[in-house]
Every structure is written in structure tokens, then in C-alpha cells.
């Protein structure tokens, strides 16, 4: 499953066991990206809470916009694990499998709204050219209707997926055969 040893459900004790049960009941199972944190239950808990806040908490960004940003960042980082999980999650927001396939192969040619295109451009720039970020990139987001809170949420989501994509790469986290269950 990973390049490091992780703790299985049957070996989990105390706080870790409680977290596995909480996550499993909320998500249909414990995804390998979370299970990779089993060696440090405090980090697992913080990771799960941050993920929930960013992707499911109250936000001026729609669920579709959040999942779109997650997929585009994961495509830019060539993260098969997150492209798969969040491609499925994007479908669950109402996107068609064909649309998700287009986003994964060439989002710039996908049928996106002006706002969605700007979100994707910002996500890719922050992922690939973070040192070149400037006020003009924020102004472009504002011109398509993102307020300061939406821009903050988007920046946090892009940053979170860059972190998670690197965790997947460094630890070689494998996609679960039944990954759709935990999306």
C-alpha cells in the first residue's frame, strides 16, 4: 500500500481505532491517503478535519468548483490517486464522466464557464509557478465573481492538494480497488 508501514483496522487501538471508525462511518471506509497517516493519529485527525473543512464546509465556492480545482491540481502534478478520487467526486457533483475525462486530458478545451476557467488557471499557476503569483492573479479571480473568502478557500484547496499529491508521490500510496466507496 505504501513505502512505509501503516496500521490496519484490526491492529488499530485507542485514538487511532476511534478515528478509523469515525472516518469509515462518514466516508464508507478509510481511504489510503488517510490510512498513510496511521503512524501519527494526531496528524490523521488534523488531515481529516482540514479535508472536511475545505471540501465540505461552508464556502462561496461550489462543491463542483472545489472538486474541479482538486482535479486540475492533481492533473498538473500527475497524481493518479487524487485524479481518480476527485474525478469520481466531480462526477458526484453532477458532471458527466466525459466531462471529467476532458478535464483530466485537457481542461483548457473543456466546456467550462468563465469563472471555472479562471479557477483552473489560478490553480495551475499556483501549482506550477507559485513564485510568480501577483496581485493581478487575484484581480482576475475577483473579475469573475470570487470574493476574498472564495479566493482564500481556493488558495487553501490548491495548497492542500499540492501537499497531498506530494504525500502520494513520496509514499507511493496506491489507489484502493474500491476507491469510489470513499469518495
Amino acid at each position: 500500500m505504501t513505502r512505509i508501514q501503516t496500521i490496519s483496522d484490526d491492529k488499530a487501538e485507542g485514538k487511532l481505532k476511534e478515528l478509523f471508525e469515525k472516518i469509515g462511518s462518514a466516508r464508507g471506509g478509510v481511504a489510503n491517503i488517510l490510512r498513510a497517516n496511521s503512524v501519527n493519529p494526531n496528524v490523521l485527525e488534523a488531515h481529516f478535519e482540514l479535508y472536511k473543512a475545505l471540501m465540505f464546509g461552508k464556502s462561496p465556492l461550489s462543491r463542483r468548483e472545489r472538486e474541479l480545482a482538486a482535479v486540475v491540481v492533481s492533473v498538473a502534478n500527475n497524481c493518479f490517486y487524487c485524479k481518480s478520487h476527485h474525478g469520481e467526486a466531480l462526477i458526484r457533483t453532477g458532471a458527466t464522466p466525459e466531462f471529467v475525462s476532458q478535464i483530466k486530458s485537457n481542461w483548457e478545451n473543456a466546456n467550462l464557464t468563465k469563472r471555472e476557467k479562471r479557477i483552473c488557471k489560478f490553480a495551475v499557476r499556483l501549482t506550477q509557478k507559485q513564485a510568480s503569483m501577483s496581485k493581478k492573479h487575484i484581480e482576475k479571480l475577483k473579475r469573475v465573481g470570487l470574493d476574498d473568502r472564495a479566493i482564500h478557500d481556493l488558495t487553501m484547496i490548491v495548497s492542500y492538494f499540492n501537499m497531498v499529491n506530494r504525500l502520494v508521490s513520496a509514499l507511493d500510496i496506491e489507489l484502493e480497488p474500491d476507491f469510489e466507496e470513499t469518495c
Side-chain angles (χ1 to χ4, degrees), residues 43-57:
V43 169
L44 170 59
E45 183 175 39
H47 182 162
F48 185 57
E49 292 302 321
L50 178 60
Y51 172 75
K52 287 189 324 181
L54 293 174
M55 299 307 285
F56 297 98

Side-chain angles (χ1 to χ4, degrees), residues 25-92:
S25 68
R27 308 286 304 150
V30 180
N32 287 345
I33 189 67
L34 293 171
R35 189 174 302 282
N37 292 305
S38 64
V39 296
N40 187 339
N42 290 331
V43 169
L44 170 59
E45 183 175 39
H47 182 162
F48 185 57
E49 292 302 321
L50 178 60
Y51 172 75
K52 287 189 324 181
L54 293 174
M55 299 307 285
F56 297 98
K58 186 173 169 58
S59 174
L61 296 174
S62 69
R63 284 276 302 128
R64 175 184 165 108
E65 290 169 335
R66 292 183 247 189
E67 293 298 346
L68 183 60
V71 173
V72 170
V73 168
S74 300
V75 166
N77 286 323
N78 197 27
C79 180
F80 180 75
Y81 183 94
C82 291
K83 284 190 293 190
S84 299
H85 266 273
H86 292 279
E88 178 66 23
L90 186 54
I91 289 170
R92 292 182 185 195

Side-chain angles (χ1 to χ4, degrees), residues 109-171:
N109 290 331
N111 187 21
L112 298 170
T113 67
K114 194 172 192 177
R115 178 176 162 119
E116 289 171 336
K117 281 188 181 186
R118 182 55 53 202
I119 286 170
C120 290
K121 285 181 180 182
F122 179 85
V124 171
R125 175 166 291 277
L126 183 55
T127 297
Q128 296 177 334
K129 299 178 181 177
Q130 67 276 11
S132 71
M133 297 303 293
S134 69
K135 184 177 179 178
K136 75 177 181 179
H137 300 106
I138 301 301
E139 293 303 321
K140 288 178 180 180
L141 290 172
K142 288 183 177 186
R143 283 198 292 272
V144 295
L146 274 71
D147 62 13
D148 289 345
R149 169 66 192 271
I151 293 167
H152 177 268
D153 289 0
L154 177 59
T155 302
M156 288 295 298
I157 289 165
V158 171
S159 300
Y160 168 82
F161 278 95
N162 274 290
M163 176 193 77
V164 171
N165 291 170
R166 282 151 181 78
L167 184 64
V168 168
S169 294
L171 300 182

